[in-house]
């Protein structure tokens, strides 16, 4: 009897270890699903990412990994966001929202809604974006979803950033960070990058450097993000006095090498162009 109990304990321990190992990635989904997700994300600007997202959803369904299913739906909509297809973006959100709202992973519901709003901002439809942010915030408060509330502040900041009101944008990014701290929630890597960009345009160099270092060390879930970081880093170092030639050359090489591996998204092309402008003009 004792031997049988010991075997059960050992088996339980092994199964526990297997389960932990199976979810050792930052998303806490099955590792085989995460590996497939990374391949899909590397092709997110390509049409084939849509089929890959569908495949990921089917794989996740078979493995009963609900979070991976939500990630697949979110990624499919994100493809349309990246290529600037606002009509398909909104359509995909309406299709996926009912499923995601039935899960515990509402961050993907609010994340998809956020993509819609950012698309309005990028199109210059600020009134529409403002209405959607208000609705987004009310829904997040109703559902008591801290992620959604934080993102609503970030979205408001994005409007001001797009309009060139960097001080106003900075205040809303800080509001998002303070709310996140009060709820023991980490702000995402994009927020730290946007804080760095605001400080860059306001010539607040010390703060810009701090946020750059933070975002460089953030856990990154989108491959192309690191390319954006290196682009801003090059812009930053090209605007310092005195110029550090060694650092600038290191930045440039990092940016070029990373861009080959993870091409900057078309929606972020300005950051790449800006970095190269400073590189060739000031250095």
């Amino acid at each position: 009897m004792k031997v049988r109990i010991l075997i059960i304990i050992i088996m339980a321990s092994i199964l526990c270890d297997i389960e932990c190992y199976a979810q050792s990635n930052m998303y806490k989904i099955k590792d085989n699903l995460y590996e497939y997700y990374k391949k899909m994300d590397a092709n997110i600007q390509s049409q084939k990412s849509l089929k890959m997202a569908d495949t990921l959803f089917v794989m996740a369904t078979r493995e009963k990994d609900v979070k991976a299913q939500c990630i697949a739906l979110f990624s499919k909509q994100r493809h349309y966001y990246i290529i600037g297809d606002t009509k398909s973006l909104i359509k995909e959100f309406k299709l996926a929202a009912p499923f995601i709202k039935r899960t515990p992973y509402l961050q993907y519901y609010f994340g998809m809604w956020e993509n819609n709003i950012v698309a309005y901002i990028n199109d210059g439809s600020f009134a529409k974006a403002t209405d959607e942010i208000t609705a987004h915030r009310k829904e997040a408060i109703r559902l008591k979803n801290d992620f959604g509330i934080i993102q609503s502040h970030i979205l408001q900041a994005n409007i001001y950033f797009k309009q060139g009101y960097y001080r106003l944008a900075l205040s809303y990014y800080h509001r998002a960070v303070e709310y996140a701290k009060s709820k023991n929630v980490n702000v995402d890597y994009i927020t730290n990058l946007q804080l760095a960009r605001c400080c860059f345009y306001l010539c607040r160099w010390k703060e810009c450097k701090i946020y750059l270092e933070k975002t460089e060390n953030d856990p990154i879930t989108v491959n192309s993000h690191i390319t954006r970081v290196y682009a801003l880093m090059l812009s930053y170092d090209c605007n310092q006095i005195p110029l550090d030639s060694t650092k600038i050359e290191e930045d440039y090489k990092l940016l070029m090498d990373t861009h080959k591996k993870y091409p900057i998204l078309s929606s972020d092309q300005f950051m790449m162009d800006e970095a190269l402008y400073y590189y060739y003009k000031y250095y």
Side-chain angles (χ1 to χ4, degrees):
M1 183 67 178
K2 288 182 179 179
V3 173
R4 185 179 177 184
I5 293 172
L6 181 60
I7 290 171
I8 291 171
I9 293 171
I10 292 171
M11 287 300 295
S13 177
I14 291 171
L15 288 171
C16 181
D17 288 342
I18 290 172
E19 181 64 22
C20 290
Y21 176 76
Q23 296 183 345
S24 61
N25 54 79
M26 66 176 65
Y27 278 128
K28 303 302 180 186
I29 61 176
K30 301 288 179 62
D31 280 344
N32 63 312
L33 300 178
Y34 179 67
E35 289 302 315
Y36 190 81
Y37 161 77
K38 288 196 295 183
K39 292 177 183 177
M40 178 194 64
D41 183 65
N43 293 280
I44 198 67
Q45 298 189 77
S46 168
Q47 189 76 12
K48 67 180 180 180
S49 67
L50 296 175
K51 288 186 178 180
M52 294 180 78
D54 288 338
T55 301
L56 178 60
F57 186 86
V58 171
M59 291 168 64
T61 303
R62 287 174 183 165
E63 303 216 18
K64 298 180 180 180
D65 193 324
V66 178
K67 190 174 186 181
Q69 288 178 299
C70 293
I71 291 171
L73 294 173
F74 175 81
S75 298
K76 189 170 184 178
Q77 193 232 20
R78 182 169 163 263
H79 164 79
Y80 292 119
Y81 166 73
I82 287 168
I83 66 171
D85 185 347
T86 304
K87 185 177 180 180
S88 297
L89 178 79
I90 295 168
K91 180 181 177 182
E92 203 63 40
F93 172 63
K94 290 178 179 178
L95 288 172
F99 175 87
I100 298 176
K101 287 180 75 175
R102 294 196 299 269
T103 77
Y105 307 110
L106 292 178
Q107 64 267 37
Y108 297 106
Y109 166 67
F110 286 108
M112 293 177 82
W113 196 347
E114 177 188 350
N115 285 341
N116 292 357
I117 296 170
V118 173
Y120 294 139
I121 294 171
N122 290 339
D123 290 341
S125 303
F126 300 124
K128 176 66 175 174
T130 300
D131 290 343
E132 285 293 304
I133 290 170
T134 301
H136 179 285
R137 184 180 292 124
K138 285 181 179 178
E139 181 72 352
I141 292 170
R142 185 183 73 81
L143 295 174
K144 298 179 180 178
N145 186 273
D146 290 329
F147 175 85
I149 296 170
I150 293 166
Q151 291 307 113
S152 71
H153 294 310
I154 291 171
L155 288 165
Q156 189 67 55
N158 288 346
I159 288 182
Y160 290 129
F161 185 92
K162 183 71 173 178
Q163 294 174 311
Y165 302 136
Y166 301 119
R167 285 185 175 82
L168 282 172
L170 198 61
S171 69
Y172 273 92
Y173 287 130
H174 280 310
R175 187 177 297 186
V177 171
E178 289 306 311
Y179 183 87
K181 284 181 180 177
S182 72
K183 299 296 181 179
N184 293 318
V185 176
N186 292 324
V187 295
D188 63 24
Y189 52 91
I190 298 174
T191 304
N192 282 324
L193 180 63
Q194 287 300 100
L195 282 163
R197 292 184 74 190
C198 282
C199 292
F200 174 82
Y201 292 127
L202 293 169
C203 299
R204 293 164 67 162
W205 303 119
K206 287 184 180 179
E207 291 173 78
C208 179
K209 184 66 172 177
I210 290 169
Y211 290 120
L212 260 177
E213 289 173 351
K214 282 184 178 180
T215 195
E216 188 180 13
N217 295 320
D218 280 339
I220 292 170
T221 57
V222 177
N223 292 329
S224 61
H225 173 71
I226 195 64
T227 313
R228 288 181 284 188
V229 174
Y230 291 147
L232 184 56
M233 198 174 291
L234 178 58
S235 293
Y236 169 86
D237 283 322
C238 285
N239 279 273
Q240 300 309 293
I241 299 175
L243 292 173
D244 185 337
S245 299
T246 302
K247 183 69 170 68
I248 289 171
E249 288 301 335
E250 287 176 357
D251 291 346
Y252 180 80
K253 186 177 186 307
L254 269 174
L255 177 58
M256 293 298 105
D257 290 347
T258 309
H259 185 55
K260 286 178 184 176
K261 190 175 181 181
Y262 304 122
I264 202 159
L265 303 179
S266 56
S267 56
D268 297 315
Q269 185 61 43
F270 175 78
M271 293 187 69
M272 188 72 168
D273 295 341
E274 183 179 48
L276 295 179
Y277 165 80
Y278 286 126
Y279 178 75
Y280 290 115
K281 181 174 181 178
Y282 295 131
Y283 179 74

